[in-house]
Amino acid sequence: MISLDDIRSAATVIAPHVVRTPLLPFGPGWLKPESLQPIGAFKLRGALNALARLENRANGVVAYSSGNHAQAVAFAARLHGVPAAIVMPSNTPAVKIEATKALGAEVFIVGITERVERAEALVAERGAALIPPFDHPDVIAGQGTIGLEILEDLPDVQAVVVPMSGGGLISGVATAIKTLRPDVRVIGAEPALAADIADSLHRGELTRWDPVERAQTAADALRDEPSALTWEHISKLVDDVITVSEEEIFDAMAQLARGARLITEPSGAVAVAAQAKLGGGVAVVSGGNVDPALLVRVLRT
């Protein structure tokens, strides 16, 4: 498991390139709007930390992602002047694919169950370095810097609500918070249609859901599943999980747009939907890279 020192070191590495997002009052609690990052999502933190620590990046980097990690790795690779090849599943929103290409990355579109295999093949072919979306200690440490900032800005925080999928974000945030403030509750938030972590915690062991089943949620950035590494953090550090319906996710998106003036993707609104059920705390708004057509439909309802 990662340590607080890992997270503090990551904070120093990434500080020149990320936005130190503020805490915004909203409803019963606060928002941590990571949608305001240069690539529109928290993923930039982990990608910057991981790429900066690579000993050999001369042959470029490879990543697989449903969109936000793709943009983060492309951004970090461009910053360091190395090529990036990104493998993305065919159900990725077009807005995320185009944004990744615009950052200079080479993009490969594959079936939803083929991205890891294709990425590993590219690594072997090119001698490149793989930067996974969550299953890496440097990535987790980078995401954990969010937890440090929350505690610095709101020392009396009682609960932090974090969206979960692969688990890198909540693993890092929970490590920072539980190390410094064990009394603060760390609550995971999941779409009910992809609630494999909630199921796992209920059973007391890591439970796998069919990827086609998880793909039913509109929260495209939350369709992944935890690794052994992130599950170790989650099972030890996360206090509870709140699941939310698709309707609750869309309602949170609309409330954020109208009440907080924040544009969020479905995945970015999941923690806010869970926060409403919890009745307080800080909700991490993980991303804002929403398909424009979907946003229009949400705001019209």
Side-chain angles (χ1 to χ4, degrees):
M1 294 177 66
I2 67 163
S3 69
L4 181 62
D5 286 342
D6 294 328
I7 297 171
R8 284 176 166 159
S9 177
T12 300
V13 169
I14 70 175
H17 311 295
V18 299
V19 174
R20 194 190 188 289
T21 52
L23 288 184
L24 306 176
F26 182 77
W30 301 82
L31 305 174
K32 179 70 168 168
E34 286 296 295
S35 53
L36 300 180
Q37 292 295 344
I39 57 99
F42 76 94
K43 290 282 191 177
L44 186 60
R45 296 172 181 263
L48 282 168
N49 188 50
L51 201 149
R53 296 178 188 279
L54 284 177
E55 292 183 2
N56 182 11
R57 52 179 181 248
N59 294 327
V61 294
V62 173
Y64 54 89
S65 167
S66 61
N68 289 332
H69 180 64
Q71 295 171 72
V73 171
F75 182 102
R78 185 176 69 176
L79 181 70
H80 287 277
V82 299
I86 313 293
V87 181
M88 308 178 80
S90 56
N91 59 350
T92 301
V95 64
K96 294 184 177 182
I97 295 173
E98 293 308 313
T100 304
K101 291 179 178 178
L103 287 165
E106 184 181 8
V107 174
F108 299 83
I109 306 298
V110 299
I112 62 173
T113 62
E114 301 170 6
R115 55 183 184 162
V116 176
E117 180 181 0
R118 185 71 179 98
E120 290 174 345
L122 285 169
V123 168
E125 291 168 9
R126 302 181 178 192
L130 179 67
I131 301 180
F134 51 84
D135 190 26
H136 195 288
D138 292 337
V139 173
I140 295 172
Q143 322 304 25
T145 59
I146 293 171
L148 290 182
E149 292 175 10
I150 291 172
L151 291 178
E152 289 169 2
D153 292 348
L154 191 66
D156 61 347
V157 62
Q158 298 299 307
V160 178
V161 187
V162 185
M164 297 189 301
S165 179
L169 174 59
I170 198 165
S171 294
V173 170
T175 298
I177 288 175
K178 288 297 187 179
T179 304
L180 293 168
R181 285 280 308 279
D183 59 304
V184 176
R185 298 182 73 209
V186 177
I187 310 295
E190 278 189 304
L193 292 179
D196 52 321
I197 300 180
D199 188 25
S200 297
L201 288 171
H202 176 73
R203 295 172 183 266
E205 61 181 5
L206 187 55
T207 303
R208 301 299 188 188
W209 283 25
D210 188 303
V212 176
E213 184 177 357
R214 297 195 311 271
Q216 294 179 80
T217 179
D220 58 276
L222 301 183
R223 293 169 178 165
D224 227 316
E225 59 184 358
S227 65
L229 176 61
T230 56
W231 172 246
E232 183 177 8
H233 290 77
I234 291 166
S235 62
K236 289 179 171 66
L237 301 174
V238 174
D239 294 293
D240 201 359
V241 181
I242 297 173
T243 61
V244 295
S245 68
E246 299 297 287
E247 182 179 353
E248 289 168 330
I249 294 170
F250 294 144
D251 184 58
M253 288 176 64
Q255 290 184 38
L256 285 165
R258 295 178 178 129
R261 304 332 186 247
L262 286 176
I263 300 302
T264 57
E265 59 192 281
S267 306
V270 166
V272 178
Q275 179 193 51
K277 289 185 171 183
L278 182 65
V282 174
V284 178
V285 180
S286 55
N289 296 311
V290 62
D291 176 76
L294 174 60
L295 180 63
V296 168
R297 291 199 300 272
V298 167
L299 294 178
R300 280 178 174 170
T301 59

